């Protein structure tokens, strides 16, 4: 089997793909393009045949970011074309000046210098009229999602055209194509319209190659063109379609009567030179580069970075206006000045995360994602989709920052795009998808390469009639053992390929032989030990009583293997304050026995037999113990606690029982009692923004690292539940959970009535989740790249093996790759993640995930196949580790510089020439600035006054092992309006952008970020809504800070409570609800999560940061 071959039914990588007639198949400069699978969506915003195109449903305005200043703001006389006096693309920003500007001869950029952030490509080509919907349907029907290079036709009603100031890059076809092109002398007609505030651009649905912005352009959805005057009062924006985001935006403005929207015909530049072949449709549906040198427009002042003014008639618009050159770096408390009233960037014209997410859902949510083709970019994490494994691991297991990696290290250094994979080896799958098959090769164990030890996978190539195979990682040729031999078919594939998971699927498991076990003997089933703090704080809050009551029923839900009737996991109990109490709960005892160990400096386990027991056998004794613990310590006055000796005791107990396991620690205070691992209060806010700030994130003592190392060696994973009333030094206490693959949960100022539901929900989920114990993970790569850096909750004793005492289905390991040789475009690159672990039943297994990526020699191919969400996940982890060793300001600057380098490299090497006033972003990275700004403003990198040191340390370790979906919603929270959608609708309401501008005081909003859940109530909400939700008669009677909604029997109450329950079910942790009233003191906390706005701690708004990024990019380019 050929290394580049994928499993049918999709055509193998190495073979030529079907091509639609009439399409050239070439990339930049006529070189043959790599076969990149198309999506079934064409580009959007092209020319409108005969000025008759209607505003297509759902296609909304394109986004911006920087641009040329307006030429003039003089009012256009009645009857003169206000917006259309230039030929295609030359749209003036704002009403036209009385001096008409002539188009320059020669080839020119089609986007206006004030183009909103629009997709923008690199060769000029003719454009044809759009196909009919019948043509589209016919072509979509005949199209298969594979490696074919056939470009997909666009949705009906969208033409191919040069980017206008409102358009995204458009497609280009050679003259022989099935769509006719405009004759050379005739301009492709375009309709231009001012955008409706609140309608964002479709993203990733029909993603063009680049997004270029020149804010604010007259961007937006196209209107049916009108040759006559607009009726008085009629706005330009087109109907606000399927878009709730127009809440409290500026009103749509009208043109004066008699103003026309069409322009006089101007001869266009020559559009297509004979030596420029058509540009093939790319993987993400974009068409190749179009555009040339930008006509130079005069600016209102020299050296202006060309941010345009607000489109629309000359009405005074006082709100926020920006001048990019006056914008300093958005560092702490240095907010860019608001000045020069000419310059206002319309927030609706810059790329919207909401629109990108919505478009991806609409375009890619209905089809299953089939993994047979190498280097496909999967749908976004926010899209619900099914995966069909046909040879590459599902994106639920592995997501990459780019699915097309540079062939050389020089190219990778030039682009600065980190090459990383976020791997979630034990990810839970939706019920419709099958868990990985378990393969048992008996005594001989799994088949591996003799040289590099990679496991058999679909990319291995069988040769010599099937008697040998060539490794796809190191190219070593190995003999096939006689019992594994099988003949090859005429294509060189084994005839049994589809009967063997390891030859046809991307993910599968092998049963491990005894050689893969410690001390060459099979492991015992793991154990859970519950270690409960019984000091004064824990008793006083009611925590101990609550926990003991819950454990009685929870022990019935310990994780079990497949169809097993009962769990094989044994349990043990310890309580502690300054000393430790062990309990003998042997089934033969009438009452549990307690043994006290007061010598905490030299910890030992006082009993073996009767400490770890089977729940069902010892149920009566365990129930008796859990009843007695709260009573035994009810009158305690002991406030001091120990911590390290408790973990030591649990580890020693597992060592004595010769098994792996997990410790569940419930702890309330800083461990100040005299014992190993004793800590002092070192909380010091004065260190913030100094060079010593990093010490706040570092552990106080090295004792916990040593302890963690011993725990990993024993397969002892630690989950820590913290209930602090004051500083407990999370940075130090979380070291052992972090290094053993465990989790930390924190409930500050715990009160049973307020926090009971959240704590118990987290505890139930934590105890029930499937865990792999005593695990080792290794990532192998094909020659040319290697894994160099790892992020997550684990320990490493060497440079290759990731050691995890425990690994659950929520944890990820992020791996960064670097080049050590040149890669080959034909063979691509292959990754294999192998995880060796002990299952809940004590079975030793190997889980294997394989992924093949494309390799490229053109930077454009790299930028076309990136995934911003994964990139942000990696960058956040990189930054959050950076604060351990560098000042926070240095870490922030590093992130900004890297982002600017990534975008500047794109601008310089992939975008067509255009004025420096345009910010041009790659299509699949157009959200990089908004998401990166969210990371920069996060509590770890820019804390507000109310954020404690413990909070920052907690979030830092939490993000380290988050998956891509979690970091996505954590950094850019979802804001859902609750009264916009019909009450009978069962689907989630469409989200709006996380900005105060989007809040209407007559509405109610739900905001979630994976950890918090806020219900914001506007002051003018209808009284009926207040009654239906809160069972009170007016807004003033709602209790601010309310944590639970009353259960009321009406449709709205049921809908909102149902929505809250479904959001909680999607997240790894239980989100506590907080009701926030408008203008209430709690509103400051809520506004902290409106990440597109300026933050109180000095973080820049999205608009300001975009201007700052543009300035940085221009400095790099100059």
């Amino acid at each position: 089997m050929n290394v580049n071959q994928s499993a049918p039914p999709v055509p193998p990588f190495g073979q030529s793909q079907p091509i639609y007639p009439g399409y050239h198949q070439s990339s930049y400069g006529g070189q043959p393009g790599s076969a990149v699978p198309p999506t079934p969506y064409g580009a959007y915003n092209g020319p409108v045949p005969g000025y008759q195109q209607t505003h297509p449903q759902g296609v909304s305005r394109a986004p911006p970011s920087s641009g040329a200043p307006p030429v003039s703001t003089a009012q256009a006389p009645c009857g003169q074309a206000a917006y259309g006096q230039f030929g295609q693309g030359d749209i003036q920003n704002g009403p036209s000046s009385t001096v008409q500007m002539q188009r320059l001869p020669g080839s020119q950029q089609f986007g206006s210098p004030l183009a909103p952030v629009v997709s923008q490509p690199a060769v000029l080509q003719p454009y044809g009229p759009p196909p009919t919907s019948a043509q589209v349907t016919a072509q979509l029907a005949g199209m298969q999602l594979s490696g074919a290079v056939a470009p997909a036709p666009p949705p009906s009603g969208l033409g191919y055209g040069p980017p206008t100031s409102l358009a995204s890059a458009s497609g280009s076809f050679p003259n022989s194509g099935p769509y006719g092109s405009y004759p050379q002398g005739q301009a492709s007609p375009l309709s231009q319209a001012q955008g409706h505030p609140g309608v964002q651009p479709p993203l990733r649905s029909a993603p063009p190659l680049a997004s270029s912005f020149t804010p604010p352009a007259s961007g937006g959805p196209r209107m049916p063109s009108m040759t006559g005057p607009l009726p008085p009062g009629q706005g330009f924006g087109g109907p606000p379609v399927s878009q709730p985001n127009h809440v409290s935006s500026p009103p749509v403005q009208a043109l004066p009567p008699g103003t026309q929207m069409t322009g006089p015909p101007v001869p266009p530049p020559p559009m297509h030179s004979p030596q420029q072949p058509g540009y093939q449709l790319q993987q993400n549906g974009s068409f190749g580069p179009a555009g040339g040198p930008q006509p130079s427009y005069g600016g209102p002042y020299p050296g202006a970075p060309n941010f345009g003014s607000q489109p629309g008639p000359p009405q005074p618009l006082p709100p926020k206006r920006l001048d990019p050159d006056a914008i300093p770096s958005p560092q702490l408390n240095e907010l860019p000045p608001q000045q020069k009233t000419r310059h206002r960037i319309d927030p609706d014209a810059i790329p919207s995360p909401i629109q990108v997410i919505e478009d991806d859902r609409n375009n890619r949510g209905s089809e299953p994602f089939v993994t047979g083709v190498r280097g496909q970019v999967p749908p976004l994490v926010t899209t619900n989709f099914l995966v069909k494994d046909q040879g590459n691991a599902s994106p639920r297991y592995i997501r990459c920052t780019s699915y097309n990696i540079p062939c050389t290290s020089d190219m990778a250094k030039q682009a600065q795009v980190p090459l990383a994979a976020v791997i979630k080896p034990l990810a839970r799958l939706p019920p419709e998808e099958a868990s990985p098959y378990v393969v048992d090769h008996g005594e001989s164990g799994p088949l591996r390469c003799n040289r590099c030890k990679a496991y058999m996978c679909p990319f291995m190539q069988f040769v010599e009639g099937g008697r040998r195979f060539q490794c796809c990682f190191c190219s070593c040729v190995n003999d096939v053992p006689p019992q594994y031999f099988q003949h090859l078919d005429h294509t060189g594939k084994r005839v049994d390929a589809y009967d063997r998971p390891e030859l046809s699927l991307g993910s599968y498991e092998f049963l491990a032989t005894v050689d893969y076990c410690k001390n060459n003997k099979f492991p015992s089933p793991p154990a859970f030990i519950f270690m409960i703090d019984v000091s004064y704080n824990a008793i006083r809050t009611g925590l101990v009583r609550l926990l003991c009551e819950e454990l009685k029923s929870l022990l019935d839900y310990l994780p079990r293997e497949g169809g097993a009737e009962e769990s094989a996991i044994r349990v043990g109990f310890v309580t502690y304050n300054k000393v430790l109490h062990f309990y003998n709960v042997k089934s033969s005892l009438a009452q549990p026995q307690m043994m006290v160990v007061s010598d905490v400096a030299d910890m030992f386990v006082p009993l073996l037999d009767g400490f770890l027991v089977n729940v069902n056998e010892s149920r009566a004794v365990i129930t008796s113990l859990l009843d007695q613990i709260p009573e035994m310590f009810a009158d305690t006055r002991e406030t001091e606690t120990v911590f390290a000796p408790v973990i030591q005791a649990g580890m020693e107990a597992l060592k004595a029982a010769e098994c792996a396991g997990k410790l569940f620690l419930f702890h309330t205070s800083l461990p100040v009692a005299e014992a190993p691992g004793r800590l002092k209060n070192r909380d010091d806010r004065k260190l913030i923004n100094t060079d010593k700030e990093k010490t706040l994130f570092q552990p106080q003592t090295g004792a916990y690292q040593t302890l963690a190392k011993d725990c990993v060696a024993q397969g002892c994973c630690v989950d820590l539940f913290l209930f602090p009333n004051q500083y407990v030094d999370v940075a130090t206490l979380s070291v052992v959970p972090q290094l053993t693959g465990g989790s930390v949960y924190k409930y500050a100022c715990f009160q049973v009535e307020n926090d009971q539901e959240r704590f118990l929900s987290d505890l139930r989920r934590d105890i029930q989740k499937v865990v792999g114990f005593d695990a080792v993970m290794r990532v192998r790569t094909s020659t040319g790249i290697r894994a160099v850096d790892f992020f997550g909750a684990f320990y490493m004793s060497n440079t290759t093996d990731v050691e995890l005492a425990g690994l659950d289905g929520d944890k990820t390991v992020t791996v960064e790759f670097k080049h050590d040789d040149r890669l080959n475009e034909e063979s691509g690159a292959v990754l294999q993640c192998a995880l060796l672990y002990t299952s809940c039943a004590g079975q030793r297994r190997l889980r294997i995930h394989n992924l093949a990526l494309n390799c490229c020699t053109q930077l454009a191919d790299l930028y076309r196949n990136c995934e911003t969400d994964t990139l942000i996940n990696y960058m956040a982890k990189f930054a959050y580790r950076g604060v351990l060793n560098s000042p926070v300001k240095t870490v922030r600057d590093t992130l900004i510089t890297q982002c600017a380098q990534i975008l500047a490299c794109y601008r310089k090497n992939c975008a067509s020439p255009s004025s420096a006033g345009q910010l041009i972003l790659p299509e699949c990275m157009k959200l990089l600035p908004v998401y990166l700004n969210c990371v920069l403003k996060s509590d770890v990198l820019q804390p507000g006054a109310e954020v404690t040191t413990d909070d920052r340390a907690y979030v830092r370790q939490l993000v380290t092992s988050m998956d891509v979906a979690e970091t996505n919603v954590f950094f850019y929270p979802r804001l859902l309006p609750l009264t916009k959608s019909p009450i009978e609708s069962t689907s989630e309401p469409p989200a709006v952008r996380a900005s105060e501008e989007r809040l209407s005081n007559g509405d109610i909003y739900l905001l979630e970020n994976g950890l918090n859940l806020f219900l914001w109530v506007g002051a003018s909400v209808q009284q009926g809504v207040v009654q239906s939700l809160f069972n009170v008669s007016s807004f003033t009677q709602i209790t601010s800070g309310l944590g639970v909604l009353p259960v009321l029997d009406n449709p709205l109450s049921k809908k909102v409570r149902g929505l809250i329950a479904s959001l909680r079910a999607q997240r790894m942790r239980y989100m506590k609800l907080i009701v926030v009233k408008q203008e209430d003191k709690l509103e400051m906390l809520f506004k902290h999560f409106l990440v597109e706005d300026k933050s109180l701690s000095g973080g820049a708004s999205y608009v300001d940061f975009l201007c700052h990024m543009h300035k940085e990019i221009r400095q790099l380019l100059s």
Side-chain angles (χ1 to χ4, degrees):
M1 162 177 171
N2 182 341
V3 181
N4 323 335
Q5 212 167 20
S6 77
V10 224
F13 301 131
Q15 298 175 13
S16 61
Q17 311 291 351
I19 295 171
Y20 289 112
Y23 289 83
H24 282 248
Q25 204 181 337
S26 64
S27 299
Y28 292 100
Q31 298 149 347
S34 57
V36 189
T39 53
Y41 324 101
Y44 57 102
N45 288 355
V48 189
Y51 288 78
Q52 284 311 306
Q53 170 149 349
T54 54
H55 173 57
Q57 283 291 317
V59 174
S60 355
R61 76 110 57 68
S65 149
S66 69
V71 178
S72 148
T73 44
Q75 163 109 32
C78 271
Q80 182 184 325
Y83 282 83
Q85 70 198 50
F86 303 111
Q88 53 193 9
D90 288 349
I91 298 180
Q92 229 173 307
N93 193 29
S96 69
S97 72
T98 46
V99 183
Q100 191 158 330
M101 199 175 285
Q102 293 305 313
R103 179 184 273 286
L104 300 176
S107 99
Q108 277 154 21
Q109 142 108 18
F110 286 141
S112 99
L114 308 179
V117 187
V118 288
S119 299
Q120 175 207 354
V123 271
L124 295 177
Q125 278 137 7
Y127 303 83
T132 63
S133 60
Q135 277 174 297
V136 174
T137 319
Q139 258 169 320
L140 283 175
M143 191 165 136
Q144 87 189 59
L145 221 69
S146 72
V149 221
S156 150
L158 294 180
Y160 298 118
T164 65
S165 68
L166 44 110
S168 290
S170 17
S172 48
F173 296 95
N175 290 345
S176 58
Y179 305 94
S181 51
Y182 290 107
Q184 284 294 348
Q186 180 193 325
S188 63
L190 286 169
S191 138
Q192 288 117 11
Q194 174 185 326
H196 176 345
V199 187
Q200 280 95 17
L203 266 170
R204 220 160 140 158
S205 47
L209 190 71
S211 291
S212 73
F213 316 84
T214 2
S218 38
R222 283 202 224 89
M223 286 277 290
S225 297
M226 307 180 189
T227 41
L230 277 172
Q234 163 130 16
F236 261 125
V241 266
S242 63
Q243 212 359 310
N245 295 10
H246 48 275
V247 188
S248 51
S249 294
V252 181
Q253 295 151 347
L255 266 191
T259 314
Q260 295 184 341
M261 284 177 63
T262 54
V266 177
M271 290 180 66
H272 189 56
S273 56
Q275 72 272 26
Q276 283 174 321
Y279 193 90
Q280 86 191 38
L281 175 61
Q282 295 306 338
Q283 132 95 38
N284 56 4
S286 61
F287 291 85
Q294 177 73 25
S296 51
Y297 291 92
Y301 52 95
N306 301 350
F307 283 78
S309 67
Q310 167 75 12
Q315 298 176 356
L317 274 173
K320 183 165 61 180
R321 299 162 191 280
L322 294 169
D323 168 14
D325 279 346
I327 293 177
S329 311
Q331 290 307 344
L332 277 167
N333 307 319
E334 297 174 22
L335 294 177
Q338 301 182 354
Q339 48 172 277
K340 295 212 168 61
T341 48
R342 284 187 292 277
H343 297 287
R344 165 158 165 50
I345 294 179
D346 177 7
D348 284 316
I350 54 183
S352 155
I354 303 305
Q355 191 65 47
V356 175
I357 289 167
E358 203 51 46
D359 290 328
D360 193 76
R361 278 182 183 158
N362 295 338
N363 295 326
R364 304 194 67 182
S366 51
E367 291 293 310
F369 178 69
V370 181
T371 70
V373 179
R374 183 177 80 189
Q376 286 183 101
V377 181
L380 295 180
V381 283
T382 43
T383 300
N384 280 329
F385 60 98
L386 274 182
V387 180
K388 288 193 175 165
D389 186 340
Q390 290 193 354
N392 283 293
S394 158
R396 302 193 206 289
Y397 294 123
I398 306 183
R399 276 187 180 265
C400 294
T401 53
S402 178
Y403 288 80
N404 202 331
I405 56 182
C407 281
T408 64
S409 60
D410 290 347
M411 192 172 153
K413 279 180 195 141
Q414 188 184 357
Q416 285 286 315
V417 176
L419 304 176
V422 179
I423 305 173
K424 198 174 179 184
L426 297 179
R428 287 166 306 132
L429 301 180
E432 309 84 63
E433 293 176 25
S435 296
Y437 288 97
V438 181
V439 180
D440 186 357
H441 281 316
E443 295 283 306
S444 59
L447 186 56
R448 303 175 70 176
C449 168
N450 291 330
R451 184 196 287 163
C452 70
K453 301 296 180 205
Y455 294 87
M456 178 53 67
C457 72
F459 312 120
M460 300 286 192
Q461 197 166 353
F462 287 87
V463 292
E464 297 180 27
R467 283 187 295 280
R468 307 181 85 188
F469 71 92
Q470 182 171 21
C471 176
C472 56
F473 294 94
C474 68
S475 305
C476 173
V477 177
N478 300 269
D479 290 331
V480 173
Q483 72 273 17
Y484 199 78
F485 173 78
Q486 186 53 270
H487 295 285
L488 308 184
D489 65 13
H490 64 287
T491 66
K493 277 181 81 81
R494 282 173 55 121
V495 295
D496 66 346
Y498 293 109
D499 302 328
R500 290 189 176 273
E502 73 273 23
L503 298 181
S504 56
L505 298 176
S507 301
Y508 41 87
E509 290 200 323
F510 291 119
L511 281 188
T513 58
V514 76
D515 307 333
Y516 292 87
C517 303
K518 264 188 193 162
N519 309 326
N520 276 6
K521 65 180 202 184
F522 285 112
S524 311
F528 283 179
I529 304 178
F530 297 93
M531 316 189 89
I532 305 167
D533 175 349
V534 288
S535 64
Y536 175 73
N537 277 337
I539 297 293
R540 182 184 57 81
T541 55
L543 167 66
V544 174
R545 189 173 296 280
L546 177 71
L547 175 59
C548 290
E549 204 50 50
E550 178 64 22
L551 283 178
K552 290 183 204 169
S553 55
L554 200 46
L555 293 177
D556 289 332
Y557 297 98
L558 298 177
R560 63 191 78 179
E561 203 65 52
E565 284 190 17
E566 66 173 51
S567 174
I569 291 173
R570 292 169 296 162
V571 297
F573 300 89
V574 173
T575 56
Y576 68 94
N577 38 45
K578 269 196 340 194
V579 296
L580 275 74
H581 323 107
F582 292 79
Y583 296 94
N584 183 345
V585 282
K586 197 172 176 180
S587 55
S588 55
L589 294 174
Q591 283 292 320
Q593 294 172 345
M594 176 165 106
M595 298 186 182
V596 180
V597 176
S598 52
D599 182 5
V600 289
D602 183 19
M603 184 46 62
F604 66 97
V605 180
L607 76 162
L608 292 178
D609 190 30
F611 179 63
L612 294 178
V613 296
N614 175 293
V615 173
N616 285 343
E617 290 171 11
S618 297
R619 180 170 302 279
V621 193
I622 290 173
T623 303
S624 171
L625 170 67
L626 293 172
D627 283 337
Q628 288 177 41
I629 287 175
E631 306 308 328
M632 245 186 312
F633 299 98
D635 301 323
T636 184
R637 286 286 168 266
E638 184 55 75
T639 55
E640 293 189 349
T641 56
V642 295
F643 188 73
V646 184
I647 296 175
Q648 179 86 33
M651 183 194 68
E652 296 289 349
L654 294 176
K655 188 183 278 184
E658 296 186 344
C659 69
K662 185 180 263 198
L663 312 182
F664 294 85
L665 248 85
F666 304 90
H667 189 80
T668 59
S669 57
L670 192 70
V672 293
E674 196 54 56
R678 176 188 179 184
L679 301 178
K680 59 179 191 289
N681 188 335
R682 54 161 187 169
D683 190 16
D684 186 0
R685 290 195 64 85
K686 292 197 289 293
L687 297 181
I688 292 177
N689 296 325
T690 69
D691 283 352
K692 288 189 174 173
E693 184 174 4
K694 60 191 177 202
T695 59
L696 297 175
F697 296 110
Q698 296 165 352
Q700 265 189 56
T701 156
Y704 286 96
Q705 270 111 327
T706 312
L707 180 57
K709 184 178 169 183
D710 296 341
C711 285
V712 172
Q714 184 48 47
C716 168
C717 173
V718 179
D719 279 359
L720 174 60
F721 292 79
L722 283 171
F723 306 86
N725 288 333
Q726 53 200 22
Y727 177 76
V728 290
D729 199 350
V730 173
T732 306
L733 297 189
S734 64
V735 166
V736 179
Q738 177 78 6
L739 292 177
T740 58
S743 306
V744 180
Y745 299 84
K746 180 166 160 284
Y747 310 89
C749 303
F750 180 82
Q751 291 175 306
V752 169
E753 55 278 14
N754 294 341
D755 303 294
Q756 165 178 348
E757 194 180 355
R758 177 172 157 231
F759 163 53
L760 295 182
S761 176
D762 284 342
L763 177 63
R764 287 169 195 146
R765 199 170 176 283
D766 195 58
I767 286 180
Q768 293 174 39
K769 61 187 173 191
V770 174
V771 182
F773 293 96
D774 211 0
V776 182
M777 183 179 118
R778 183 176 280 196
V779 178
R780 293 181 173 82
T781 53
S782 50
T783 311
I785 53 169
R786 63 196 168 89
V788 292
D789 209 351
F790 300 83
F791 303 82
F794 52 77
Y795 175 75
M796 291 186 80
S797 55
N798 57 34
T799 56
T800 53
D801 293 339
V802 174
E803 299 173 46
L804 302 124
L807 175 68
D808 60 52
D810 299 337
K811 297 278 190 311
T812 63
V813 176
T814 302
V815 187
E816 187 185 2
F817 303 99
K818 289 256 165 65
H819 287 74
D820 56 7
D821 202 351
R822 193 185 168 83
L823 290 166
N824 183 328
E825 226 175 335
E826 274 180 37
S827 51
V830 186
L831 325 174
Q832 183 177 81
C833 162
L835 178 79
L836 174 65
Y837 71 99
T838 302
S839 73
C840 296
Q843 196 175 48
R844 205 69 176 144
R845 291 186 178 180
L846 280 153
R847 179 168 288 201
I848 313 293
H849 299 296
N850 304 288
L851 184 64
L853 302 172
N854 286 329
C855 297
C856 58
T857 52
Q858 299 287 340
L859 281 166
D861 292 326
L862 164 70
Y863 283 103
R864 204 173 285 118
N865 292 281
C866 286
E867 229 226 340
T868 300
D869 292 329
T870 312
L871 205 53
I872 288 293
N873 180 285
Y874 165 83
M875 290 171 103
K877 289 172 181 176
F878 180 80
Y880 280 17
R881 186 176 67 184
V883 298
L884 289 173
N885 306 307
S886 308
V888 171
K889 183 180 184 305
T890 310
V891 174
R892 291 164 45 82
D893 291 345
T894 306
L895 280 184
I896 293 173
T897 307
Q898 182 171 19
C899 180
Q901 285 173 328
I902 291 171
L903 299 176
C905 174
Y906 175 82
R907 174 68 189 258
K908 183 178 173 187
N909 298 289
C910 309
S912 60
S914 59
S915 84
Q918 259 181 323
L919 171 60
I920 301 180
L921 303 176
E923 179 60 28
C924 59
M925 279 190 193
K926 63 183 172 192
L927 298 182
L928 189 61
V930 61
Y931 285 163
L932 184 73
N933 190 35
C934 297
V935 175
L936 293 171
K937 292 187 335 185
S938 63
D939 291 340
V940 173
L941 298 183
Q942 199 164 43
E946 74 296 338
V947 180
T948 66
T949 307
D950 274 348
D951 287 336
R952 296 176 73 196
Y954 175 63
V955 167
R956 195 195 75 78
Q957 60 83 30
L958 207 57
V959 168
T960 309
S961 49
M962 274 188 182
D963 71 6
V964 181
E966 285 177 288
T967 50
N968 174 273
V969 75
F970 178 74
F971 289 115
Y972 192 94
R974 289 166 73 200
L975 184 60
L976 307 172
L978 297 185
T979 54
K980 289 275 189 289
S981 54
I983 284 192
E984 58 280 0
S985 158
T986 51
S987 57
E988 260 174 35
V992 296
R993 293 169 71 164
S995 166
E996 199 177 345
E997 285 185 5
R998 310 286 162 175
L999 299 176
S1000 150
N1001 57 8
D1003 205 348
I1004 292 182
Y1005 295 82
L1006 200 56
L1007 181 142
E1008 64 122 352
N1009 75 339
L1011 297 180
N1012 309 87
L1013 197 55
F1014 293 95
L1015 190 71
W1016 184 87
V1017 186
S1020 316
V1021 169
Q1022 290 173 355
Q1023 193 250 330
V1025 171
V1026 172
Q1027 185 72 48
S1028 300
L1029 268 187
F1030 302 100
N1031 204 23
V1032 294
S1033 55
S1034 70
F1035 173 79
T1036 49
Q1037 292 176 300
I1038 299 171
T1039 311
S1040 179
L1042 191 69
V1044 61
L1045 291 179
V1047 178
L1048 304 173
D1049 189 15
N1050 66 66
L1052 182 63
S1053 176
K1054 285 177 183 170
K1055 178 181 173 174
V1056 173
R1057 285 181 291 110
L1059 177 62
I1060 290 171
S1062 85
L1063 292 178
R1064 283 174 172 160
Q1066 293 168 27
R1067 303 293 168 215
M1068 308 304 174
R1069 296 180 179 225
Y1070 183 91
M1071 297 185 290
K1072 182 180 171 183
L1073 178 71
I1074 300 175
V1075 173
V1076 178
K1077 293 162 68 175
Q1078 188 175 1
E1079 305 298 333
D1080 186 80
K1081 60 181 186 299
L1082 270 176
E1083 202 182 26
M1084 297 316 292
L1085 180 61
F1086 171 76
K1087 285 181 179 174
H1088 177 67
F1089 297 97
L1090 299 177
V1091 288
E1092 288 198 20
D1093 301 335
K1094 278 180 182 155
S1095 67
L1096 287 172
S1097 54
S1101 71
Y1102 176 18
V1103 168
D1104 293 353
F1105 184 69
L1106 203 55
C1107 297
H1108 176 68
M1109 270 330 293
H1110 187 207
K1111 192 173 148 198
E1112 293 276 321
I1113 291 166
R1114 290 175 61 197
Q1115 277 173 353
L1116 286 172
L1117 292 175
S1118 60

